[in-house]
Amino acid sequence: MFDRLKTYCKTKVPLTDEELKLIDTYFENKDLKKKDFLLQDGKICNFIGFIADGTIRHFHIKDGIEKTCDISFENAWVTDFQSFTHNISCIMNLQAMENTTVFVIRKENLNKLYNECNKYETFGRLMAEQVAQRATEIAMSLSSDKPEERFQNLIKKQPDLFQRVPQKYIANFLGVSPESLSRIRNRIFKKSKS
């Protein structure tokens, strides 16, 4: 069941078959339908999730308006680290944009896994670094790239984005209106044809 996660883990840390079997013990499968929430604001996030299949939108609500912070796809990790680490209510929402499968490990099971096999501590550090690096990339892009550059980077990383995520959420993530996003798409399309 957790083959995708096991394959991913093996690319990061050398694990024996016995060590990989620990994933079966400590992770659980969560199947989400489109629009289902993996996490809602106000709750305490007590898990870290690995997206095996599908798409998760990260957003918070400010002044009654949804603000998309990120869109994660297969082989990405999702959590609200602040809530997870400090055991406080989160302000982040994690919502499926399509039918999505997430492999979840709860905080208490993560600690048991670390105690049982210290290679997973190394893996956990690498995973946290990946999440931190992604957050830094987004912050840098928002502060220095034009919306068109952010759009091109997004499409480069996820070419089937528009088939998987509604345009309004992509526009929200890029910090532009859906109409501006349409103009950006048209400009890029015209440039690529000439």
Side-chain angles (χ1 to χ4, degrees), residues 39-52:
L39 177 67
Q40 284 187 281
D41 63 356
K43 304 265 194 278
I44 293 175
C45 181
N46 68 344
F47 67 87
I48 295 173
F50 175 82
I51 303 174

Side-chain angles (χ1 to χ4, degrees), residues 14-140:
L15 295 162
T16 66
D17 288 343
E18 283 304 306
E19 290 165 338
L20 283 169
K21 281 183 187 166
L22 293 172
I23 288 172
D24 298 321
T25 303
Y26 293 114
F27 277 82
E28 59 191 82
N29 184 70
K30 268 200 176 293
D31 289 316
L32 304 169
K33 292 197 177 344
K34 183 178 180 176
K35 299 278 189 185
D36 282 355
F37 284 89
L38 180 62
L39 177 67
Q40 284 187 281
D41 63 356
K43 304 265 194 278
I44 293 175
C45 181
N46 68 344
F47 67 87
I48 295 173
F50 175 82
I51 303 174
D53 189 45
T55 310
I56 297 281
R57 178 173 75 108
H58 312 229
F59 72 95
H60 68 278
I61 299 171
K62 182 166 179 160
D63 301 326
I65 298 168
E66 291 182 4
K67 302 284 185 180
T68 301
C69 307
D70 199 0
I71 300 168
S72 296
F73 299 91
E74 289 85 3
N75 294 334
W77 294 92
V78 292
T79 191
D80 181 320
F81 267 122
Q82 193 167 5
S83 175
F84 181 83
T85 305
H86 300 294
N87 207 39
I88 57 174
S89 296
C90 67
I91 59 167
M92 188 65 62
N93 295 279
L94 300 174
Q95 184 181 38
M97 290 287 90
E98 57 189 338
N99 291 346
T100 300
T101 300
V102 182
F103 300 147
V104 169
I105 186 164
R106 302 211 175 271
K107 192 174 192 173
E108 63 273 12
N109 284 337
L110 183 63
N111 291 324
K112 288 177 188 172
L113 179 61
Y114 287 167
N115 287 332
E116 201 161 332
C117 177
N118 64 3
K119 287 183 188 175
Y120 281 104
E121 284 192 277
T122 301
F123 179 79
R125 180 181 51 77
L126 293 171
M127 182 233 12
E129 287 171 2
Q130 178 188 350
V131 171
Q133 182 179 344
R134 174 75 180 144
T136 301
E137 285 172 11
I138 291 169
M140 295 286 285

